[in-house]
Amino acid sequence: MRLIFLGPPGVGKGTQAKLVCDCFDIIHLSTGEILRTEIAVQSNIGNKAKLFIDNGKLVPDNVLLDIINNRLRNNDAQKGYLLDGFPRTIPQAEGLEKIMKNLSHSLKAIVSLSVDEDELVQRLINRSLESGRSDDAPDIIRQRQKVYWKQTAPLLDFYRSKNLLKEVDGSGDIPEITERILGVLK
Ligand code: AMP
């Protein structure tokens, strides 16, 4: 099983991704988490990515495509994976298609989670109190939302046209949302 989770910051992708991965015994690949680890160990990638992340901007496509190209070749990725936070631009989605084709991997579905604007903002404010993430400050949160609508939302049409898009209501409590996601993956 190979899946992509799409949705604006704060929609609950990370939480749901972990639960769905446990359910199907596949690995959870969050590019945000991978980049935060690279920053923590001060690698070349981390040093390059930090400025973009701290300003709520996207890290350049070629950096992400290199990370994913390496990661999807690992042994642990052969049983399946869920991509959380990747792709985020059309060039990333096109690059991913090439990478997966080379590996003879096919996508089962793209799950798009959405919640209304008020709930989204409230969730991000709550998360900012405990996450310790440098990009969870209010002005950076707003910038990340803008980037999502401008650069990532076009992926909805991209995957809709390939008949792979499953749209799921991301409001309500956690188990209820997980049930909805599992329902569209049957
Ligand atoms: P996330 O944890 O998914 O919200 O990602 C946090 C930050 O990491 C984003 O705001 C971007 O700066 C960077 N990032 C994560 N994934 C990507 C991606 N696929 N393309 C570009 N930048 C990314």
Side-chain angles (χ1 to χ4, degrees):
M1 169 90 78
R2 301 177 198 94
L3 299 169
I4 293 175
F5 270 24
L6 263 183
V11 79
K13 286 191 303 295
T15 306
Q16 291 299 329
K18 289 192 178 82
L19 295 165
V20 170
C21 284
D22 284 348
C23 208
F24 293 114
D25 190 27
I26 56 178
I27 59 165
H28 175 207
L29 292 177
S30 153
T31 45
E33 275 174 23
I34 293 171
L35 291 168
R36 284 188 286 279
T37 305
E38 297 285 344
I39 291 173
V41 301
Q42 300 187 343
S43 69
N44 276 343
I45 289 179
N47 293 338
K48 218 188 279 178
K50 186 170 170 29
L51 210 62
F52 294 96
I53 293 184
D54 285 351
N55 287 302
K57 302 229 165 86
L58 293 185
V59 177
D61 291 335
N62 62 331
V63 175
L64 271 297
L65 284 165
D66 281 350
I67 291 175
I68 289 295
N69 189 26
N70 288 326
R71 200 59 192 81
L72 297 192
R73 285 167 199 280
N74 268 18
N75 272 347
D76 64 353
Q78 305 317 310
K79 59 183 179 181
Y81 43 83
L82 188 163
L83 300 178
D84 163 11
F86 180 91
R88 259 176 154 103
T89 64
I90 295 281
Q92 289 182 18
E94 290 169 344
L96 176 65
E97 272 188 339
K98 289 201 187 104
I99 292 169
M100 290 185 71
K101 194 162 173 231
N102 281 338
L103 294 167
S104 302
H105 289 177
S106 60
L107 270 174
K108 160 93 176 163
I110 285 76
V111 175
S112 160
L113 283 173
S114 55
V115 299
D116 76 45
E117 196 83 17
D118 289 346
E119 190 168 339
L120 207 59
V121 171
Q122 197 52 49
R123 284 186 192 183
L124 280 165
I125 290 170
N126 293 345
R127 188 172 85 181
S128 71
L129 301 175
E130 49 199 51
S131 75
R133 277 176 53 162
S134 55
D135 58 351
D136 266 346
D139 51 335
I140 304 296
I141 287 174
R142 268 191 292 278
Q143 166 67 16
R144 286 165 52 219
Q145 299 286 343
K146 249 197 255 166
V147 165
Y148 174 81
W149 292 110
K150 187 152 183 251
Q151 291 179 268
T152 306
L155 292 180
L156 296 172
D157 275 341
F158 179 89
Y159 287 119
R160 196 176 282 122
S161 71
K162 295 177 189 289
N163 272 330
L164 286 169
L165 190 71
K166 310 278 183 196
E167 294 182 85
V168 174
D169 175 6
S171 57
D173 56 22
I174 291 172
E176 194 181 337
I177 303 164
T178 313
E179 277 309 306
R180 273 184 223 135
I181 296 172
L182 296 178
V184 300
L185 294 178
K186 270 196 192 121

